[in-house]
Amino acid sequence: MGHREDLLQGAKKALLEKGYAQTTARDIVAASGTNLASIGYHYGSTKALLTAAMLSAIEDWGEAFGQALTEEKDDDPADPMLRFWQRVIGSIQSHRALWLASVEVLIHSEHMPDLRAQLAAGLQEGRSGMAAMVTGTFEGDLDKATIRTVGSVQMALMSGVLTQWLTDPATAPSAEEIVEGIRRLNGGPGLHQ
């Protein structure tokens, strides 16, 4: 691995340990085993390196999350919606630092147009991926209306669940409660009826 990759890996480590706003160039250098000058040489600034690290961490997590959502396990519930939400909540619990960092980066993107544009592109990809998972349709076969409606609503649900689990996990809804709520909103019977 070269200095550029070492810096990226060190920045991801520091980002998850300290958060976006609290990570310094010295933290990154300590975690990467490089030097301060290499940040400017390879990335231009600490902010640019942190942005690259955050996007890389989200991409890594997205791949693992997508795989976790689609793989079958012997002890999975028969209900695909329940299985989906159990895995979402499991990811929030197991990757809490990354979820928190992603929220922090979103706030900082208000003053960083390039980062905001990258996050917006990722959001569009997320809508498409969510619509594919929810409908069981290959992502390339989805029409724009399905991505815009189903994908957007699924992303909104995930954002709300994420906020609740990050803020107060003790009272956040369980996967079963989320599924029952969705079904009741849809006019169907809940799990407990």
Side-chain angles (χ1 to χ4, degrees):
M1 228 184 327
H3 270 205
R4 183 174 178 80
E5 185 60 28
D6 290 341
L7 284 166
L8 186 64
Q9 294 305 316
K12 286 198 293 193
K13 183 176 188 285
L15 185 67
L16 295 177
E17 289 174 0
K18 298 186 122 196
Y20 188 87
Q22 299 302 314
T23 297
T24 66
R26 293 191 189 285
D27 296 326
I28 295 168
V29 167
S32 66
T34 61
N35 58 63
L36 286 171
S38 61
I39 293 174
Y41 178 78
H42 289 289
Y43 288 93
S45 70
T46 302
K47 190 179 282 192
L49 172 54
L50 282 172
T51 299
M54 188 67 222
L55 293 172
S56 177
I58 289 172
E59 186 176 306
D60 294 346
W61 167 84
E63 290 171 12
F65 183 62
Q67 184 176 3
L69 289 178
T70 56
E71 71 184 16
E72 294 295 325
K73 298 179 184 171
D74 291 338
D75 61 341
D76 275 342
D79 184 339
M81 190 183 314
L82 180 59
R83 180 173 54 243
F84 174 83
W85 284 106
Q86 286 174 337
R87 291 178 181 181
V88 167
I89 291 169
S91 173
I92 295 169
Q93 292 170 320
S94 65
H95 293 86
R96 182 178 174 80
L98 180 59
W99 285 102
L100 283 169
S102 69
V103 171
E104 191 178 1
V105 166
L106 175 63
I107 293 165
H108 286 279
S109 74
E110 181 66 21
H111 306 290
M112 300 169 67
D114 292 343
L115 175 59
R116 190 171 183 181
Q118 290 174 309
L119 291 175
L123 191 61
Q124 182 57 29
E125 287 180 32
R127 284 186 192 114
S128 180
M130 288 292 126
M133 280 187 244
V134 170
T135 63
T137 305
F138 176 68
E139 206 168 336
D141 293 338
L142 290 169
D143 60 81
K144 289 181 182 180
T146 301
I147 293 169
R148 188 80 183 137
T149 57
V150 174
S152 294
V153 169
Q154 187 66 18
M155 291 291 286
L157 286 170
M158 282 193 58
S159 297
V161 169
L162 173 66
T163 300
Q164 292 178 68
W165 271 91
L166 290 178
T167 305
D168 187 11
T171 64
S174 68
E176 292 79 8
E177 291 168 326
I178 295 166
V179 170
E180 182 162 348
I182 291 169
R183 289 186 173 145
R184 285 186 179 193
L185 283 172
N186 197 34
L191 293 174
H192 303 292
Q193 292 181 341

